[in-house]
Amino acid sequence: MPRNDKTRVKAHCADDCPWNLFTSLDTRSNSFVVKTYYGAHNCQKEWVLKICTANWLAAKYIGSFRAN
């Protein structure tokens, strides 16, 4: 994510991927409005889930594993 501020948000996927989103604050409605959105991906998704550790998985599924 590039640097954002209180009135603008810009997001993109990877360097070579065309997916991007740009929103800005509409002061009349006091909400964000999507100005630019290109939803196609040409990249391989990378999932980095820091919370998904072995201990977290064990605590979440231990009951169903024991019942099974």
Side-chain angles (χ1 to χ4, degrees), residues 15-27:
D15 288 336
D16 297 332
C17 183
W19 186 94
N20 65 40
L21 172 74
F22 177 71
T23 64
S24 64
L25 184 65
D26 182 13
T27 55

Side-chain angles (χ1 to χ4, degrees), residues 2 12-13 19 21 26-27 30 35 49 54 59 64-66 68:
H12 62 86
C13 186
W19 186 94
L21 172 74
D26 182 13
T27 55
N30 198 24
K35 301 288 185 167
L49 303 173
S64 65
F65 289 160
R66 286 186 179 152
N68 203 354

Side-chain angles (χ1 to χ4, degrees), residues 24-38:
S24 64
L25 184 65
D26 182 13
T27 55
R28 291 176 288 174
S29 64
N30 198 24
S31 61
F32 278 89
V33 177
V34 175
K35 301 288 185 167
T36 305
Y37 176 67
Y38 186 78

